[in-house]
Amino acid sequence: MDKAVIIGVFDFVNFHVCKALLNKGIEVKGVQIETEENGDLLVEKRLEIGRNANLSVISIGELTDDHNQKGTMVLSVYDLYMQYREDFLLSEDIKKPFMNFNNWEKIVILAPSQLVTNENITDAGVIMQNFMKGIKSLTNNIQFLYLPTIYGPWQPDTFMFQHSILNEWNGEGTFRGLREEITDALFVEDAVASIIEIVEKNSSGRYLLQSGKNNQWERCAAFLGIGDHISNQSTKELVDNEINKLTVKSIIPLPDALTKQIEHTHRVYI
């Protein structure tokens, strides 16, 4: 992979994917979508990347109009879902770039792991599944990567971990609702390293990223002092036995990883 297009480049997981690709010297076209976060945080993220000749930021319209785009296209349905923005998947704007599927070396869709468990399907789940089925019908050259809770710097406050960190300092207010998986969790830098490895080395298919550790979400919650009444919900089971299960290599210990998120939150938000 020498070129990538990331739709929703300033979203949580996508932003970390973008940084990792740039660090590898890969050319990235980042598509900024209108639903993304406020201007102050966008400025912070741009500063974090710094000046990089390999990054250009374009609109979804510019991506659609350029029929000569090449490389790997990445879309994080996961980020849209976790920020209550899955309705964006219903728009024609997001569907048009996929119509030029012959241009793409590979299409990569990041999705919440709940879509491959026996968890009751929600309206949001229906939207995501229908979108992904539609893309799958266009091309077989596609990877679906299913993610559990991802934590680390830039995690949105729609995650329980980030909400708890903010609430500890400034009384963030009422939590909007638990959307994340509450059995497994991965530090974002570890998850992104595995995502890029899968994209570069593996064939098309469906992949579930796991920590390989029992009750990893609960361990994170305990470190942050989150009540165990949340994590006592019933364990979800996989309904797709053919999915490729991959254990993510943990580089940074859990306490250090969560401390990085806490310190980053204090610097940027507080």
Side-chain angles (χ1 to χ4, degrees), residues 211-248:
S211 70
K213 302 172 183 176
N214 293 328
N215 304 318
Q216 188 71 346
W217 191 95
E218 290 186 15
R219 294 172 188 266
C220 294
F223 181 87
L224 296 170
I226 297 173
D228 59 4
H229 65 282
I230 295 170
S231 58
N232 283 337
Q233 300 181 33
S234 59
T235 302
K236 308 299 186 297
E237 296 180 359
L238 282 177
V239 294
D240 185 350
N241 294 323
E242 296 182 359
I243 196 168
N244 298 290
K245 302 174 187 176
L246 299 176
T247 299
V248 172

PDB file of all heavy atoms in Angstrom, residues 211-248:
ATOM      1  N   SER A 211      -8.420  -8.691  22.162  1.00  0.00           N
ATOM      2  CA  SER A 211      -7.267  -8.528  23.050  1.00  0.00           C
ATOM      3  C   SER A 211      -6.686  -9.876  23.451  1.00  0.00           C
ATOM      4  O   SER A 211      -5.508  -9.962  23.821  1.00  0.00           O
ATOM      5  CB  SER A 211      -7.670  -7.753  24.301  1.00  0.00           C
ATOM      6  OG  SER A 211      -8.529  -8.539  25.129  1.00  0.00           O
ATOM      7  N   GLY A 212      -7.510 -10.918  23.422  1.00  0.00           N
ATOM      8  CA  GLY A 212      -7.077 -12.230  23.884  1.00  0.00           C
ATOM      9  C   GLY A 212      -7.068 -12.356  25.393  1.00  0.00           C
ATOM     10  O   GLY A 212      -6.567 -13.343  25.939  1.00  0.00           O
ATOM     11  N   LYS A 213      -7.645 -11.362  26.080  1.00  0.00           N
ATOM     12  CA  LYS A 213      -7.676 -11.363  27.541  1.00  0.00           C
ATOM     13  C   LYS A 213      -9.123 -11.326  28.027  1.00  0.00           C
ATOM     14  O   LYS A 213      -9.969 -10.676  27.420  1.00  0.00           O
ATOM     15  CB  LYS A 213      -6.912 -10.153  28.088  1.00  0.00           C
ATOM     16  CG  LYS A 213      -5.453 -10.110  27.634  1.00  0.00           C
ATOM     17  CD  LYS A 213      -4.781  -8.814  28.018  1.00  0.00           C
ATOM     18  CE  LYS A 213      -3.352  -8.746  27.486  1.00  0.00           C
ATOM     19  NZ  LYS A 213      -2.704  -7.456  27.770  1.00  0.00           N
ATOM     20  N   ASN A 214      -9.394 -12.030  29.100  1.00  0.00           N
ATOM     21  CA  ASN A 214     -10.741 -12.052  29.656  1.00  0.00           C
ATOM     22  C   ASN A 214     -11.071 -10.723  30.345  1.00  0.00           C
ATOM     23  O   ASN A 214     -10.238 -10.163  31.055  1.00  0.00           O
ATOM     24  CB  ASN A 214     -10.892 -13.192  30.665  1.00  0.00           C
ATOM     25  CG  ASN A 214     -10.802 -14.556  30.020  1.00  0.00           C
ATOM     26  OD1 ASN A 214     -11.201 -14.730  28.858  1.00  0.00           O
ATOM     27  ND2 ASN A 214     -10.287 -15.537  30.742  1.00  0.00           N
ATOM     28  N   ASN A 215     -12.300 -10.258  30.107  1.00  0.00           N
ATOM     29  CA  ASN A 215     -12.826  -9.090  30.824  1.00  0.00           C
ATOM     30  C   ASN A 215     -11.936  -7.858  30.707  1.00  0.00           C
ATOM     31  O   ASN A 215     -11.757  -7.098  31.664  1.00  0.00           O
ATOM     32  CB  ASN A 215     -13.024  -9.428  32.318  1.00  0.00           C
ATOM     33  CG  ASN A 215     -13.915 -10.635  32.527  1.00  0.00           C
ATOM     34  OD1 ASN A 215     -14.926 -10.792  31.854  1.00  0.00           O
ATOM     35  ND2 ASN A 215     -13.525 -11.514  33.451  1.00  0.00           N
ATOM     36  N   GLN A 216     -11.395  -7.627  29.518  1.00  0.00           N
ATOM     37  CA  GLN A 216     -10.493  -6.492  29.343  1.00  0.00           C
ATOM     38  C   GLN A 216     -11.209  -5.155  29.510  1.00  0.00           C
ATOM     39  O   GLN A 216     -10.634  -4.200  30.038  1.00  0.00           O
ATOM     40  CB  GLN A 216      -9.816  -6.571  27.970  1.00  0.00           C
ATOM     41  CG  GLN A 216      -8.713  -5.549  27.748  1.00  0.00           C
ATOM     42  CD  GLN A 216      -7.459  -5.828  28.556  1.00  0.00           C
ATOM     43  OE1 GLN A 216      -7.455  -6.632  29.485  1.00  0.00           O
ATOM     44  NE2 GLN A 216      -6.372  -5.152  28.205  1.00  0.00           N
ATOM     45  N   TRP A 217     -12.458  -5.073  29.074  1.00  0.00           N
ATOM     46  CA  TRP A 217     -13.219  -3.831  29.271  1.00  0.00           C
ATOM     47  C   TRP A 217     -13.391  -3.559  30.765  1.00  0.00           C
ATOM     48  O   TRP A 217     -13.234  -2.427  31.221  1.00  0.00           O
ATOM     49  CB  TRP A 217     -14.588  -3.924  28.586  1.00  0.00           C
ATOM     50  CG  TRP A 217     -15.324  -2.614  28.514  1.00  0.00           C
ATOM     51  CD1 TRP A 217     -15.331  -1.742  27.465  1.00  0.00           C
ATOM     52  CD2 TRP A 217     -16.175  -2.039  29.516  1.00  0.00           C
ATOM     53  NE1 TRP A 217     -16.131  -0.651  27.753  1.00  0.00           N
ATOM     54  CE2 TRP A 217     -16.659  -0.813  29.007  1.00  0.00           C
ATOM     55  CE3 TRP A 217     -16.584  -2.433  30.785  1.00  0.00           C
ATOM     56  CZ2 TRP A 217     -17.522   0.021  29.725  1.00  0.00           C
ATOM     57  CZ3 TRP A 217     -17.434  -1.599  31.520  1.00  0.00           C
ATOM     58  CH2 TRP A 217     -17.897  -0.389  30.990  1.00  0.00           C
ATOM     59  N   GLU A 218     -13.703  -4.603  31.530  1.00  0.00           N
ATOM     60  CA  GLU A 218     -13.879  -4.447  32.969  1.00  0.00           C
ATOM     61  C   GLU A 218     -12.581  -4.002  33.636  1.00  0.00           C
ATOM     62  O   GLU A 218     -12.604  -3.210  34.595  1.00  0.00           O
ATOM     63  CB  GLU A 218     -14.365  -5.745  33.600  1.00  0.00           C
ATOM     64  CG  GLU A 218     -15.790  -6.117  33.230  1.00  0.00           C
ATOM     65  CD  GLU A 218     -16.277  -7.336  33.993  1.00  0.00           C
ATOM     66  OE1 GLU A 218     -15.621  -7.705  34.999  1.00  0.00           O
ATOM     67  OE2 GLU A 218     -17.286  -7.907  33.602  1.00  0.00           O
ATOM     68  N   ARG A 219     -11.460  -4.497  33.157  1.00  0.00           N
ATOM     69  CA  ARG A 219     -10.175  -4.088  33.728  1.00  0.00           C
ATOM     70  C   ARG A 219      -9.944  -2.588  33.515  1.00  0.00           C
ATOM     71  O   ARG A 219      -9.465  -1.886  34.417  1.00  0.00           O
ATOM     72  CB  ARG A 219      -9.035  -4.890  33.085  1.00  0.00           C
ATOM     73  CG  ARG A 219      -9.057  -6.386  33.392  1.00  0.00           C
ATOM     74  CD  ARG A 219      -8.011  -7.102  32.555  1.00  0.00           C
ATOM     75  NE  ARG A 219      -8.121  -8.541  32.671  1.00  0.00           N
ATOM     76  CZ  ARG A 219      -7.441  -9.288  33.534  1.00  0.00           C
ATOM     77  NH1 ARG A 219      -6.600  -8.704  34.372  1.00  0.00           N
ATOM     78  NH2 ARG A 219      -7.600 -10.587  33.577  1.00  0.00           N
ATOM     79  N   CYS A 220     -10.271  -2.128  32.318  1.00  0.00           N
ATOM     80  CA  CYS A 220     -10.155  -0.695  32.033  1.00  0.00           C
ATOM     81  C   CYS A 220     -11.108   0.112  32.922  1.00  0.00           C
ATOM     82  O   CYS A 220     -10.731   1.143  33.491  1.00  0.00           O
ATOM     83  CB  CYS A 220     -10.466  -0.421  30.566  1.00  0.00           C
ATOM     84  SG  CYS A 220      -9.287  -1.108  29.385  1.00  0.00           S
ATOM     85  N   ALA A 221     -12.333  -0.368  33.013  1.00  0.00           N
ATOM     86  CA  ALA A 221     -13.332   0.331  33.817  1.00  0.00           C
ATOM     87  C   ALA A 221     -12.894   0.403  35.280  1.00  0.00           C
ATOM     88  O   ALA A 221     -13.051   1.440  35.943  1.00  0.00           O
ATOM     89  CB  ALA A 221     -14.681  -0.370  33.689  1.00  0.00           C
ATOM     90  N   ALA A 222     -12.334  -0.683  35.797  1.00  0.00           N
ATOM     91  CA  ALA A 222     -11.882  -0.700  37.189  1.00  0.00           C
ATOM     92  C   ALA A 222     -10.755   0.300  37.407  1.00  0.00           C
ATOM     93  O   ALA A 222     -10.714   0.996  38.437  1.00  0.00           O
ATOM     94  CB  ALA A 222     -11.423  -2.104  37.568  1.00  0.00           C
ATOM     95  N   PHE A 223      -9.842   0.415  36.455  1.00  0.00           N
ATOM     96  CA  PHE A 223      -8.740   1.371  36.567  1.00  0.00           C
ATOM     97  C   PHE A 223      -9.273   2.796  36.655  1.00  0.00           C
ATOM     98  O   PHE A 223      -8.715   3.641  37.362  1.00  0.00           O
ATOM     99  CB  PHE A 223      -7.807   1.232  35.367  1.00  0.00           C
ATOM    100  CG  PHE A 223      -6.617   2.151  35.403  1.00  0.00           C
ATOM    101  CD1 PHE A 223      -5.450   1.766  36.051  1.00  0.00           C
ATOM    102  CD2 PHE A 223      -6.660   3.391  34.788  1.00  0.00           C
ATOM    103  CE1 PHE A 223      -4.350   2.614  36.090  1.00  0.00           C
ATOM    104  CE2 PHE A 223      -5.569   4.252  34.826  1.00  0.00           C
ATOM    105  CZ  PHE A 223      -4.409   3.857  35.474  1.00  0.00           C
ATOM    106  N   LEU A 224     -10.370   3.057  35.926  1.00  0.00           N
ATOM    107  CA  LEU A 224     -10.958   4.398  35.896  1.00  0.00           C
ATOM    108  C   LEU A 224     -11.985   4.619  37.001  1.00  0.00           C
ATOM    109  O   LEU A 224     -12.567   5.698  37.114  1.00  0.00           O
ATOM    110  CB  LEU A 224     -11.612   4.655  34.532  1.00  0.00           C
ATOM    111  CG  LEU A 224     -10.662   4.685  33.336  1.00  0.00           C
ATOM    112  CD1 LEU A 224     -11.447   4.707  32.032  1.00  0.00           C
ATOM    113  CD2 LEU A 224      -9.721   5.884  33.416  1.00  0.00           C
ATOM    114  N   GLY A 225     -12.226   3.582  37.806  1.00  0.00           N
ATOM    115  CA  GLY A 225     -13.180   3.712  38.904  1.00  0.00           C
ATOM    116  C   GLY A 225     -14.626   3.720  38.464  1.00  0.00           C
ATOM    117  O   GLY A 225     -15.492   4.268  39.158  1.00  0.00           O
ATOM    118  N   ILE A 226     -14.900   3.097  37.334  1.00  0.00           N
ATOM    119  CA  ILE A 226     -16.280   3.009  36.840  1.00  0.00           C
ATOM    120  C   ILE A 226     -16.975   1.855  37.537  1.00  0.00           C
ATOM    121  O   ILE A 226     -16.438   0.759  37.626  1.00  0.00           O
ATOM    122  CB  ILE A 226     -16.306   2.808  35.306  1.00  0.00           C
ATOM    123  CG1 ILE A 226     -15.680   4.021  34.616  1.00  0.00           C
ATOM    124  CG2 ILE A 226     -17.727   2.587  34.810  1.00  0.00           C
ATOM    125  CD1 ILE A 226     -15.505   3.841  33.124  1.00  0.00           C
ATOM    126  N   GLY A 227     -18.193   2.085  38.017  1.00  0.00           N
ATOM    127  CA  GLY A 227     -18.935   1.077  38.769  1.00  0.00           C
ATOM    128  C   GLY A 227     -19.129  -0.210  37.998  1.00  0.00           C
ATOM    129  O   GLY A 227     -19.364  -0.207  36.791  1.00  0.00           O
ATOM    130  N   ASP A 228     -19.052  -1.342  38.723  1.00  0.00           N
ATOM    131  CA  ASP A 228     -19.155  -2.632  38.056  1.00  0.00           C
ATOM    132  C   ASP A 228     -20.584  -2.991  37.688  1.00  0.00           C
ATOM    133  O   ASP A 228     -20.820  -4.002  37.038  1.00  0.00           O
ATOM    134  CB  ASP A 228     -18.560  -3.743  38.928  1.00  0.00           C
ATOM    135  CG  ASP A 228     -19.246  -3.866  40.280  1.00  0.00           C
ATOM    136  OD1 ASP A 228     -20.243  -3.144  40.526  1.00  0.00           O
ATOM    137  OD2 ASP A 228     -18.771  -4.669  41.092  1.00  0.00           O
ATOM    138  N   HIS A 229     -21.555  -2.134  38.053  1.00  0.00           N
ATOM    139  CA  HIS A 229     -22.934  -2.436  37.670  1.00  0.00           C
ATOM    140  C   HIS A 229     -23.121  -2.341  36.155  1.00  0.00           C
ATOM    141  O   HIS A 229     -24.017  -2.947  35.590  1.00  0.00           O
ATOM    142  CB  HIS A 229     -23.898  -1.463  38.359  1.00  0.00           C
ATOM    143  CG  HIS A 229     -23.729  -0.036  37.928  1.00  0.00           C
ATOM    144  ND1 HIS A 229     -22.707   0.758  38.413  1.00  0.00           N
ATOM    145  CD2 HIS A 229     -24.435   0.724  37.058  1.00  0.00           C
ATOM    146  CE1 HIS A 229     -22.807   1.967  37.858  1.00  0.00           C
ATOM    147  NE2 HIS A 229     -23.828   1.971  37.030  1.00  0.00           N
ATOM    148  N   ILE A 230     -22.224  -1.597  35.513  1.00  0.00           N
ATOM    149  CA  ILE A 230     -22.313  -1.456  34.055  1.00  0.00           C
ATOM    150  C   ILE A 230     -21.833  -2.724  33.383  1.00  0.00           C
ATOM    151  O   ILE A 230     -22.438  -3.227  32.435  1.00  0.00           O
ATOM    152  CB  ILE A 230     -21.469  -0.262  33.586  1.00  0.00           C
ATOM    153  CG1 ILE A 230     -22.049   1.035  34.152  1.00  0.00           C
ATOM    154  CG2 ILE A 230     -21.427  -0.202  32.056  1.00  0.00           C
ATOM    155  CD1 ILE A 230     -21.145   2.226  33.935  1.00  0.00           C
ATOM    156  N   SER A 231     -20.749  -3.287  33.872  1.00  0.00           N
ATOM    157  CA  SER A 231     -20.102  -4.417  33.198  1.00  0.00           C
ATOM    158  C   SER A 231     -20.736  -5.763  33.528  1.00  0.00           C
ATOM    159  O   SER A 231     -20.300  -6.777  33.020  1.00  0.00           O
ATOM    160  CB  SER A 231     -18.612  -4.457  33.570  1.00  0.00           C
ATOM    161  OG  SER A 231     -18.455  -4.560  34.964  1.00  0.00           O
ATOM    162  N   ASN A 232     -21.750  -5.764  34.353  1.00  0.00           N
ATOM    163  CA  ASN A 232     -22.382  -7.033  34.715  1.00  0.00           C
ATOM    164  C   ASN A 232     -23.464  -7.475  33.734  1.00  0.00           C
ATOM    165  O   ASN A 232     -24.244  -8.363  34.024  1.00  0.00           O
ATOM    166  CB  ASN A 232     -22.990  -6.939  36.121  1.00  0.00           C
ATOM    167  CG  ASN A 232     -21.917  -7.047  37.200  1.00  0.00           C
ATOM    168  OD1 ASN A 232     -20.848  -7.587  36.957  1.00  0.00           O
ATOM    169  ND2 ASN A 232     -22.197  -6.511  38.370  1.00  0.00           N
ATOM    170  N   GLN A 233     -23.537  -6.818  32.580  1.00  0.00           N
ATOM    171  CA  GLN A 233     -24.508  -7.217  31.570  1.00  0.00           C
ATOM    172  C   GLN A 233     -24.083  -8.555  30.967  1.00  0.00           C
ATOM    173  O   GLN A 233     -22.936  -8.968  31.060  1.00  0.00           O
ATOM    174  CB  GLN A 233     -24.616  -6.147  30.489  1.00  0.00           C
ATOM    175  CG  GLN A 233     -25.062  -4.790  31.049  1.00  0.00           C
ATOM    176  CD  GLN A 233     -25.175  -3.761  29.949  1.00  0.00           C
ATOM    177  OE1 GLN A 233     -25.518  -4.085  28.819  1.00  0.00           O
ATOM    178  NE2 GLN A 233     -24.915  -2.517  30.271  1.00  0.00           N
ATOM    179  N   SER A 234     -25.033  -9.240  30.340  1.00  0.00           N
ATOM    180  CA  SER A 234     -24.763 -10.580  29.813  1.00  0.00           C
ATOM    181  C   SER A 234     -23.705 -10.546  28.713  1.00  0.00           C
ATOM    182  O   SER A 234     -23.625  -9.614  27.926  1.00  0.00           O
ATOM    183  CB  SER A 234     -26.053 -11.186  29.241  1.00  0.00           C
ATOM    184  OG  SER A 234     -26.571 -10.374  28.218  1.00  0.00           O
ATOM    185  N   THR A 235     -22.868 -11.559  28.684  1.00  0.00           N
ATOM    186  CA  THR A 235     -21.817 -11.662  27.681  1.00  0.00           C
ATOM    187  C   THR A 235     -22.407 -11.987  26.319  1.00  0.00           C
ATOM    188  O   THR A 235     -23.266 -12.852  26.187  1.00  0.00           O
ATOM    189  CB  THR A 235     -20.810 -12.756  28.084  1.00  0.00           C
ATOM    190  OG1 THR A 235     -20.267 -12.426  29.365  1.00  0.00           O
ATOM    191  CG2 THR A 235     -19.696 -12.861  27.073  1.00  0.00           C
ATOM    192  N   LYS A 236     -21.923 -11.275  25.298  1.00  0.00           N
ATOM    193  CA  LYS A 236     -22.395 -11.516  23.945  1.00  0.00           C
ATOM    194  C   LYS A 236     -21.571 -12.627  23.305  1.00  0.00           C
ATOM    195  O   LYS A 236     -20.392 -12.783  23.577  1.00  0.00           O
ATOM    196  CB  LYS A 236     -22.294 -10.232  23.114  1.00  0.00           C
ATOM    197  CG  LYS A 236     -22.957  -9.010  23.752  1.00  0.00           C
ATOM    198  CD  LYS A 236     -24.442  -9.234  23.963  1.00  0.00           C
ATOM    199  CE  LYS A 236     -25.142  -7.966  24.454  1.00  0.00           C
ATOM    200  NZ  LYS A 236     -24.675  -7.503  25.757  1.00  0.00           N
ATOM    201  N   GLU A 237     -22.218 -13.403  22.443  1.00  0.00           N
ATOM    202  CA  GLU A 237     -21.541 -14.506  21.775  1.00  0.00           C
ATOM    203  C   GLU A 237     -21.501 -14.262  20.272  1.00  0.00           C
ATOM    204  O   GLU A 237     -22.425 -13.671  19.692  1.00  0.00           O
ATOM    205  CB  GLU A 237     -22.268 -15.822  22.064  1.00  0.00           C
ATOM    206  CG  GLU A 237     -22.257 -16.221  23.533  1.00  0.00           C
ATOM    207  CD  GLU A 237     -22.977 -17.532  23.774  1.00  0.00           C
ATOM    208  OE1 GLU A 237     -23.490 -18.108  22.787  1.00  0.00           O
ATOM    209  OE2 GLU A 237     -23.027 -17.985  24.926  1.00  0.00           O
ATOM    210  N   LEU A 238     -20.428 -14.746  19.636  1.00  0.00           N
ATOM    211  CA  LEU A 238     -20.299 -14.612  18.198  1.00  0.00           C
ATOM    212  C   LEU A 238     -21.353 -15.442  17.481  1.00  0.00           C
ATOM    213  O   LEU A 238     -21.641 -16.567  17.883  1.00  0.00           O
ATOM    214  CB  LEU A 238     -18.913 -15.060  17.739  1.00  0.00           C
ATOM    215  CG  LEU A 238     -17.751 -14.098  17.942  1.00  0.00           C
ATOM    216  CD1 LEU A 238     -16.460 -14.756  17.496  1.00  0.00           C
ATOM    217  CD2 LEU A 238     -17.961 -12.800  17.176  1.00  0.00           C
ATOM    218  N   VAL A 239     -21.898 -14.884  16.411  1.00  0.00           N
ATOM    219  CA  VAL A 239     -22.846 -15.637  15.586  1.00  0.00           C
ATOM    220  C   VAL A 239     -22.235 -15.968  14.229  1.00  0.00           C
ATOM    221  O   VAL A 239     -22.837 -16.656  13.430  1.00  0.00           O
ATOM    222  CB  VAL A 239     -24.159 -14.848  15.391  1.00  0.00           C
ATOM    223  CG1 VAL A 239     -24.887 -14.696  16.715  1.00  0.00           C
ATOM    224  CG2 VAL A 239     -23.898 -13.478  14.766  1.00  0.00           C
ATOM    225  N   ASP A 240     -21.031 -15.473  13.979  1.00  0.00           N
ATOM    226  CA  ASP A 240     -20.336 -15.728  12.720  1.00  0.00           C
ATOM    227  C   ASP A 240     -19.103 -16.569  13.020  1.00  0.00           C
ATOM    228  O   ASP A 240     -18.040 -16.064  13.375  1.00  0.00           O
ATOM    229  CB  ASP A 240     -19.935 -14.405  12.061  1.00  0.00           C
ATOM    230  CG  ASP A 240     -19.316 -14.603  10.689  1.00  0.00           C
ATOM    231  OD1 ASP A 240     -19.024 -15.765  10.332  1.00  0.00           O
ATOM    232  OD2 ASP A 240     -19.116 -13.607   9.973  1.00  0.00           O
ATOM    233  N   ASN A 241     -19.243 -17.878  12.883  1.00  0.00           N
ATOM    234  CA  ASN A 241     -18.138 -18.774  13.215  1.00  0.00           C
ATOM    235  C   ASN A 241     -17.060 -18.815  12.142  1.00  0.00           C
ATOM    236  O   ASN A 241     -15.997 -19.406  12.343  1.00  0.00           O
ATOM    237  CB  ASN A 241     -18.677 -20.190  13.455  1.00  0.00           C
ATOM    238  CG  ASN A 241     -19.557 -20.271  14.692  1.00  0.00           C
ATOM    239  OD1 ASN A 241     -19.286 -19.605  15.690  1.00  0.00           O
ATOM    240  ND2 ASN A 241     -20.616 -21.070  14.621  1.00  0.00           N
ATOM    241  N   GLU A 242     -17.327 -18.209  10.984  1.00  0.00           N
ATOM    242  CA  GLU A 242     -16.352 -18.228   9.898  1.00  0.00           C
ATOM    243  C   GLU A 242     -15.454 -17.001   9.900  1.00  0.00           C
ATOM    244  O   GLU A 242     -14.530 -16.904   9.090  1.00  0.00           O
ATOM    245  CB  GLU A 242     -17.082 -18.344   8.553  1.00  0.00           C
ATOM    246  CG  GLU A 242     -17.851 -19.659   8.398  1.00  0.00           C
ATOM    247  CD  GLU A 242     -18.515 -19.776   7.046  1.00  0.00           C
ATOM    248  OE1 GLU A 242     -18.393 -18.817   6.251  1.00  0.00           O
ATOM    249  OE2 GLU A 242     -19.143 -20.816   6.785  1.00  0.00           O
ATOM    250  N   ILE A 243     -15.698 -16.074  10.802  1.00  0.00           N
ATOM    251  CA  ILE A 243     -14.899 -14.858  10.842  1.00  0.00           C
ATOM    252  C   ILE A 243     -13.486 -15.182  11.325  1.00  0.00           C
ATOM    253  O   ILE A 243     -13.270 -16.092  12.138  1.00  0.00           O
ATOM    254  CB  ILE A 243     -15.564 -13.812  11.766  1.00  0.00           C
ATOM    255  CG1 ILE A 243     -14.976 -12.422  11.521  1.00  0.00           C
ATOM    256  CG2 ILE A 243     -15.440 -14.199  13.228  1.00  0.00           C
ATOM    257  CD1 ILE A 243     -15.770 -11.306  12.162  1.00  0.00           C
ATOM    258  N   ASN A 244     -12.502 -14.482  10.796  1.00  0.00           N
ATOM    259  CA  ASN A 244     -11.118 -14.657  11.210  1.00  0.00           C
ATOM    260  C   ASN A 244     -10.874 -13.892  12.506  1.00  0.00           C
ATOM    261  O   ASN A 244     -11.003 -12.671  12.542  1.00  0.00           O
ATOM    262  CB  ASN A 244     -10.172 -14.134  10.117  1.00  0.00           C
ATOM    263  CG  ASN A 244     -10.323 -14.881   8.810  1.00  0.00           C
ATOM    264  OD1 ASN A 244      -9.953 -16.037   8.711  1.00  0.00           O
ATOM    265  ND2 ASN A 244     -10.876 -14.221   7.803  1.00  0.00           N
ATOM    266  N   LYS A 245     -10.510 -14.598  13.563  1.00  0.00           N
ATOM    267  CA  LYS A 245     -10.251 -13.966  14.855  1.00  0.00           C
ATOM    268  C   LYS A 245      -8.757 -13.709  14.995  1.00  0.00           C
ATOM    269  O   LYS A 245      -7.956 -14.632  14.866  1.00  0.00           O
ATOM    270  CB  LYS A 245     -10.742 -14.864  15.990  1.00  0.00           C
ATOM    271  CG  LYS A 245     -12.223 -15.197  15.920  1.00  0.00           C
ATOM    272  CD  LYS A 245     -12.594 -16.204  16.997  1.00  0.00           C
ATOM    273  CE  LYS A 245     -14.024 -16.684  16.838  1.00  0.00           C
ATOM    274  NZ  LYS A 245     -14.362 -17.739  17.835  1.00  0.00           N
ATOM    275  N   LEU A 246      -8.403 -12.473  15.265  1.00  0.00           N
ATOM    276  CA  LEU A 246      -6.992 -12.102  15.368  1.00  0.00           C
ATOM    277  C   LEU A 246      -6.729 -11.432  16.710  1.00  0.00           C
ATOM    278  O   LEU A 246      -7.430 -10.499  17.093  1.00  0.00           O
ATOM    279  CB  LEU A 246      -6.611 -11.148  14.238  1.00  0.00           C
ATOM    280  CG  LEU A 246      -6.763 -11.699  12.812  1.00  0.00           C
ATOM    281  CD1 LEU A 246      -6.441 -10.629  11.796  1.00  0.00           C
ATOM    282  CD2 LEU A 246      -5.850 -12.901  12.612  1.00  0.00           C
ATOM    283  N   THR A 247      -5.730 -11.926  17.413  1.00  0.00           N
ATOM    284  CA  THR A 247      -5.353 -11.335  18.698  1.00  0.00           C
ATOM    285  C   THR A 247      -4.357 -10.200  18.453  1.00  0.00           C
ATOM    286  O   THR A 247      -3.325 -10.394  17.797  1.00  0.00           O
ATOM    287  CB  THR A 247      -4.712 -12.389  19.624  1.00  0.00           C
ATOM    288  OG1 THR A 247      -5.675 -13.421  19.873  1.00  0.00           O
ATOM    289  CG2 THR A 247      -4.305 -11.765  20.942  1.00  0.00           C
ATOM    290  N   VAL A 248      -4.688  -9.034  18.973  1.00  0.00           N
ATOM    291  CA  VAL A 248      -3.858  -7.842  18.794  1.00  0.00           C
ATOM    292  C   VAL A 248      -2.714  -7.868  19.801  1.00  0.00           C
ATOM    293  O   VAL A 248      -2.928  -8.090  21.002  1.00  0.00           O
ATOM    294  CB  VAL A 248      -4.700  -6.568  18.984  1.00  0.00           C
ATOM    295  CG1 VAL A 248      -3.824  -5.319  19.010  1.00  0.00           C
ATOM    296  CG2 VAL A 248      -5.747  -6.467  17.874  1.00  0.00           C
TER     297      VAL A 248
END
